[in-house]
Amino acid sequence: QVSPGLRTPLLPVWLCSILGRHSVLFSTDSQLLSHWKAERVFHLYFYSGQQEQTQTAHLTIDTHSHHWEEAPSEDPCSSGKRCPALEMTIRTKWAGATVRWNGTYSFF
């Protein structure tokens, strides 16, 4: 029998399969589960277990500014460049969101 804590987690957790590798995307903000206003600007943490990842990546998600509005030189998804798979995965839930890696190399 599954524990109620596993059926309804206290914090938002997403298990991801990105490029055939399993990883975890999570937040420490419980408001993200129940309060739509918390989805304006929030933080997510990403852990993949890859050798290249030495620490959990801290990402800032902004759902009201869009990645295509940034200067072309700053946009990692501009024409001619590939967008990181993790950003594309995040945008399946928050379409058009801007993802800031906060100094972490976008290894995924």
Side-chain angles (χ1 to χ4, degrees):
Q1 186 174 1
V2 176
S3 162
L6 293 175
R7 285 182 277 167
T8 309
L10 298 176
L11 298 171
V13 176
W14 295 272
L15 300 176
C16 306
S17 177
I18 303 172
L19 302 173
R21 295 184 179 180
H22 295 88
S23 53
V24 178
L25 191 62
F26 63 96
S27 176
T28 57
D29 183 5
S30 62
Q31 291 292 317
L32 199 54
L33 289 171
S34 59
H35 199 276
W36 63 271
K37 288 183 180 179
E39 291 189 5
R40 166 67 170 92
V41 175
F42 56 95
H43 301 279
L44 292 178
Y45 299 89
F46 178 74
Y47 182 74
S48 67
Q50 295 182 41
Q51 275 186 316
E52 304 88 39
Q53 186 178 9
T54 57
Q55 61 184 356
T56 303
H58 173 217
L59 309 171
T60 302
I61 313 301
D62 186 344
T63 60
H64 288 284
S65 68
H66 305 290
H67 65 279
W68 59 82
E69 294 172 342
E70 296 177 2
S73 61
E74 298 175 9
D75 185 7
C77 301
S78 63
S79 61
K81 293 185 180 179
R82 295 182 62 178
C83 188
L86 177 58
E87 289 186 28
M88 293 170 53
T89 300
I90 290 170
R91 289 184 185 125
T92 63
K93 175 145 179 71
W94 296 284
T98 299
V99 179
R100 286 193 306 270
W101 287 78
N102 300 318
T104 304
Y105 171 70
S106 58
F107 54 89
F108 212 98

